[in-house]
Amino acid sequence: MTRFGQQYEEWMQRQLAEEPNARRNELPRRGLGHGSVAFLRSVWFPAVGHFHDLHAEWEVRDFGNGYRYLDLAYRPGGAKGAIEIQGYGPHARDLDIVRFKDLCRRHCLLALDGWTFLPIAYPSIVDEPKACQQLVLAFIDKFVATDVPASLSWLEAETVRFARRLLRPFSPVELESHLRVSDRHARRVLHDLVERQLLDVASGSQRARTYRIRV
């Protein structure tokens, strides 16, 4: 069994063992959908390396006193992060007006209840897993400071987190302003992180103009 397969099975069994509510236990017991498993295998696990604070088929109450289920809920310290895998057929091509209105209402209810919502298109999982991994790291950074190598200095660690949150190439001037250091110091930090293969040069040949996180 692969490392992903082993940790995935342990994660699922742990959820079943820790959930006393039979109704909430029913969906994970039947197994996750294809899209959710593909997301976990190709996006979440390669980017994060574990399933801590992640819950499958998380139950939420709506304003009509009914129940709805999130594909995945990320809840470190009680935070409210919702991840939904959007299949092209049921969420776009085949969506009728009633289901479209209900989907919008569902998103509204989540937002009003304090959930941060991360919709991931299934075709992006298949075609652009690296881009999805970057989105996940930025999503996690909204709730916790994500792990960085222990060997990094404080400035280097914050630069990696800054690059993960930004989701676009950034210039040394932007990093200089964020870290409140000199241009020379910012460029030295960036150069070292490129050497460590944590950042990539996004543009510039003779002299790097922008950088981005390596995923």
Side-chain angles (χ1 to χ4, degrees), residues 110-125:
L110 287 170
L112 291 171
D113 194 33
W115 289 86
T116 298
F117 189 69
L118 183 70
I120 299 288
Y122 177 75
S124 295
I125 296 172

Side-chain angles (χ1 to χ4, degrees), residues 16-198:
L16 293 172
E18 294 174 353
E19 178 54 69
N21 187 321
R23 183 181 60 252
R24 286 176 58 173
N25 228 333
E26 182 180 352
L27 292 174
R29 191 178 297 280
R30 292 204 306 260
L32 303 188
H34 173 74
S36 294
V37 176
F39 168 79
L40 293 170
R41 178 184 292 111
S42 300
V43 178
W44 182 275
F45 192 72
V48 183
H50 57 73
F51 299 113
H52 302 163
D53 300 310
L54 193 67
H55 306 270
E57 301 294 347
W58 185 263
E59 183 181 278
V60 293
R61 299 293 293 268
D62 64 20
F63 288 171
N65 207 33
Y67 299 98
R68 293 173 184 261
Y69 295 88
L70 307 176
D71 289 340
L72 297 160
Y74 183 60
R75 309 218 59 196
K80 293 182 174 181
I83 302 171
E84 292 276 85
I85 311 306
Q86 313 280 25
Y88 178 69
H91 288 93
R93 184 191 60 215
D94 302 331
L95 199 63
D96 61 31
I97 187 64
V98 174
R99 293 172 63 195
F100 175 70
K101 289 192 296 185
D102 183 68
L103 181 64
C104 291
R105 176 179 171 80
R106 182 173 189 267
H107 291 182
C108 289
L109 294 176
L110 287 170
L112 291 171
D113 194 33
W115 289 86
T116 298
F117 189 69
L118 183 70
I120 299 288
Y122 177 75
S124 295
I125 296 172
V126 176
D127 300 333
E128 304 167 309
K130 292 292 186 182
C132 293
Q133 290 171 21
Q134 190 172 355
L135 286 170
V136 161
L137 290 174
F139 174 75
I140 290 174
D141 262 335
K142 292 183 67 67
F143 307 105
V144 296
T146 50
D147 294 336
V148 295
S151 59
L152 298 184
S153 68
W154 180 87
L155 289 177
E156 290 168 338
E158 181 54 29
T159 298
V160 171
R161 294 188 179 108
F162 175 73
R164 286 174 175 172
R165 291 192 297 266
L166 210 53
L167 291 176
R168 62 170 174 78
F170 62 95
S171 68
V173 173
E174 290 178 278
L175 182 65
E176 171 191 343
S177 175
H178 178 70
L179 296 180
R180 299 187 179 183
V181 298
S182 67
D183 176 75
R184 184 176 180 180
H185 198 160
R187 287 186 179 276
R188 183 161 58 247
V189 170
L190 290 166
H191 179 268
D192 289 346
L193 291 173
V194 170
E195 289 291 314
R196 291 170 180 254
Q197 298 186 339
L198 294 171

